[in-house]
Amino acid sequence: MEIGVTETLLINACMASDKKNFLINPWLLCFLFQSCIATTDVITANQGVPDGMLLGLTGVPDLPKSPFNFTFVNNPNEVYLIYNPQNASVLHYYSLNEVGMLQRFSWLERNHQWNKFWSVPKDLCDSYNQCGSFGKCNSNDALDCSCLPGFKPQFPQEWNIRDASAGCLRKREIECGKDDRGFLKLQHVKIPDTLIGQVIPGLSLDECRKICMENCSCSAYTVSIWNSMGKSCVVWYEDLLDTRQYTSGGDDLYLRVDAIEIENAKKKSGLFGGDKRIQYAVFIPCLAIVFGIVICIIIFVKRTRSRGKFFCRT
């Protein structure tokens, strides 16, 4: 099955192999599945951008475990994603219901029935832009939403009732050329909506950083490896929408912040910049030395006491 859009004409392209039941609508300004049959504009969970390293979608971290191979194609005329089953003898079908839940079923020959293999949304963070501009969603947090470093809730009272749709504002305005000391590296994230950003194929991380640094309007950048385009730089010049935090997987996002946030990040990262490998390499030998010293002191004290008892007896 192929799912995609035609870039040059900005029209809906629906190229499903059977009943053409999925498409990506560019007017939604996000990669979302939508029904081609009904006209109710029901949309499902944001799937994220294609990721060649994961051979899937960054918005669906468990997708690499699926029985499909993925190919992402991007050229001047069209952008589309191809799903090919790894085992052509196994039947699959997708179902999109009226509330926007997308489910995939696989046929079990032994039981002669359809088995639900996968479905979205699984939680609130699967909904598009749940935390607003410059917010990030984390399903492991009590309130799901928080602001990106250097930002604060626009309406804190609404966040207290779990409504973060208004998003976040910068804590301090960055004065271009004076106060923009660099970028913070945010790890394990689903990067923001790429249709708001600019994709530049073939650039390295340093080249991508330079492009963003030279433009005061650039708020973030990343480099992702997409299997048909190779390494691509993505930069954002507007609000960052639909960012999500994972405990593992995802991509690295480099967020433009001021000097205060850079210093705060260094303090929070702790010893050796938060690199756990270096911390372990230093901590374990030091612990062994301290443990050895303690053992020597205990042995010395015991021997000293035993000698004292011996002289008292004589």
Side-chain angles (χ1 to χ4, degrees), residues 170-243:
R170 281 196 182 274
K171 296 178 182 177
R172 298 163 296 273
E173 290 299 323
I174 295 179
E175 188 176 354
C176 190
K178 294 183 179 181
D179 196 32
D180 52 341
R181 300 292 182 86
F183 300 85
L184 277 185
K185 180 181 179 181
L186 309 181
Q187 297 178 296
H188 309 304
V189 300
K190 185 195 76 63
I191 61 177
D193 186 345
T194 54
L195 285 187
I196 300 176
Q198 178 185 5
V199 180
I200 310 172
L203 296 186
S204 67
L205 186 62
D206 289 338
E207 292 170 329
C208 192
R209 175 189 174 90
K210 183 179 179 181
I211 289 177
C212 193
M213 180 66 81
E214 292 175 350
N215 191 319
C216 294
S217 300
C218 182
S219 53
Y221 72 92
T222 190
V223 168
S224 188
I225 300 177
W226 298 351
N227 57 350
S228 65
M229 299 170 58
K231 189 177 294 184
S232 293
C233 165
V234 188
V235 291
W236 287 267
Y237 299 105
E238 300 180 32
D239 292 356
L240 304 182
L241 305 178
D242 198 42
T243 307

Side-chain angles (χ1 to χ4, degrees), residues 27 77 81 90 108 156 182 226-227 236 240 250 285 297 303 313:
W27 300 110
N77 297 318
L81 182 67
V90 179
L108 296 180
W226 298 351
N227 57 350
W236 287 267
L240 304 182
I297 292 174
R303 288 183 176 179
R313 289 172 184 170

